[in-house]
Amino acid sequence: DAKTTQPNSMESNEEEPVHLPCNHSTISGTDYIHWYRQLPSQGPEYVIHGLTSNVNNRMASLAIAEDRKSSTLILHRATLRDAAVYYCIPSNNAGNMLTFGGGTRLMVKP
Amino acid sequence: DAGVIQSPRHEVTEMGQEVTLRCKPISGHNSLFWYRQTMMRGLELLIYFNNNVPIDDSGMPEDRFSAKMPNASFSTLKIQPSEPRDSAVYFCASSLQGSAYEQYFGPGTRLTVT
């Protein structure tokens, strides 16, 4: 599995954009990059995934570096409900197994 | 769709007792996963099934743990005998097979072994 490096925690102000970085320098050429988040006392929740191109959905945007060794999850306007642990996960080629690391704890201030 | 359903939501048991956790995946999903989450170890994959067949159980901690998936709509994770160090939140997730598909997690079962 590709190893990932994420900051342990980040802070943001409500209504401001948030950029959550992830380094995955050992990612293989066919691994997807998944982002999940876990709100307090809940199971993880899918946010977004991509392979090479930048991706957008209703929750967030995913910017993938050209060399695929890093990616950034972008929340365009953080809300208090976005306070969660965000996990960056390159997928396993053997299937769709996900290996969760420590993630980034995002705190959103009103 | 009701999402992934897990039962019970909370379980408190004494050391040595058998514990059975249950999961109903989302209808139509053919992959099912069992995870365990603790403060010390984070979120760990225990086992996963494709089309009801166990594919990778390398995360199962020891022989006291066993998982079954008798049909596409039901899976169990059993711990026998349970120990205090098994205390954790156990999550079940389901998805369509393939690395491009997202996993949907259940609400989890909080297990406390005293």
Side-chain angles (χ1 to χ4, degrees):
Chain A
D1 290 348
K3 293 186 178 179
T4 60
T5 303
Q6 296 181 257
N8 289 334
S9 64
M10 291 182 64
E11 270 191 5
S12 172
N13 294 318
E14 197 175 13
E15 303 295 317
E16 291 186 355
V18 182
H19 290 231
L20 298 163
C22 180
N23 287 321
H24 32 75
S25 57
T26 60
I27 192 170
S28 78
T30 54
D31 278 354
Y32 283 83
I33 300 158
H34 298 258
W35 283 80
Y36 282 73
R37 72 179 185 181
Q38 188 172 20
L39 279 66
S41 301
Q42 294 188 27
E45 172 188 36
Y46 166 83
V47 177
I48 200 168
H49 76 275
L51 185 60
T52 56
S53 303
N54 294 344
V55 185
N56 300 295
N57 66 20
R58 64 175 179 81
M59 289 181 70
S61 296
L62 176 60
I64 301 173
E66 196 169 331
D67 63 6
R68 294 192 1 107
K69 293 184 177 182
S70 65
S71 61
T72 302
L73 180 71
I74 303 165
L75 307 180
H76 295 287
R77 291 179 63 194
T79 69
L80 297 179
R81 290 179 299 173
D82 291 322
V85 179
Y86 287 79
Y87 298 96
C88 161
I89 310 168
S91 65
N92 187 309
N93 267 350
N96 54 346
M97 292 172 59
L98 301 177
T99 302
F100 287 80
T104 296
R105 181 173 298 278
L106 175 66
M107 293 167 280
V108 181
K109 297 183 292 185
Chain B
D1 198 323
V4 175
I5 299 172
Q6 292 188 246
S7 65
R9 295 293 308 277
H10 302 272
E11 177 79 36
V12 180
T13 190
E14 292 184 348
M15 182 174 62
Q17 296 299 306
E18 177 180 298
V19 175
T20 299
L21 311 181
R22 296 172 176 79
C23 175
K24 176 179 170 56
I26 291 174
S27 177
H29 283 185
N30 57 0
S31 292
L32 183 139
F33 307 82
W34 283 101
Y35 292 86
R36 176 174 70 174
Q37 187 170 35
T38 62
M39 289 294 293
M40 291 294 294
R41 300 176 66 89
L43 199 60
E44 306 172 280
L45 176 65
L46 300 179
I47 185 171
Y48 90 96
F49 297 82
N50 276 348
N51 298 314
N52 313 337
V53 176
I55 302 300
D56 190 321
D57 65 354
S58 58
M60 296 285 262
E62 48 195 277
D63 291 345
R64 298 185 297 105
F65 286 69
S66 62
K68 294 182 179 180
M69 192 165 185
N71 57 63
S73 59
F74 183 66
S75 177
T76 60
L77 177 67
K78 184 179 294 186
I79 308 172
Q80 166 63 20
S82 59
E83 297 182 3
R85 60 193 168 122
D86 301 330
S87 298
V89 180
Y90 291 80
F91 291 104
C92 176
S94 72
S95 76
L96 291 170
Q97 184 177 352
S99 58
Y101 293 99
E102 58 263 38
Q103 294 185 17
Y104 293 82
F105 284 75
T109 295
R110 181 173 295 277
L111 173 65
T112 303
V113 183
T114 60

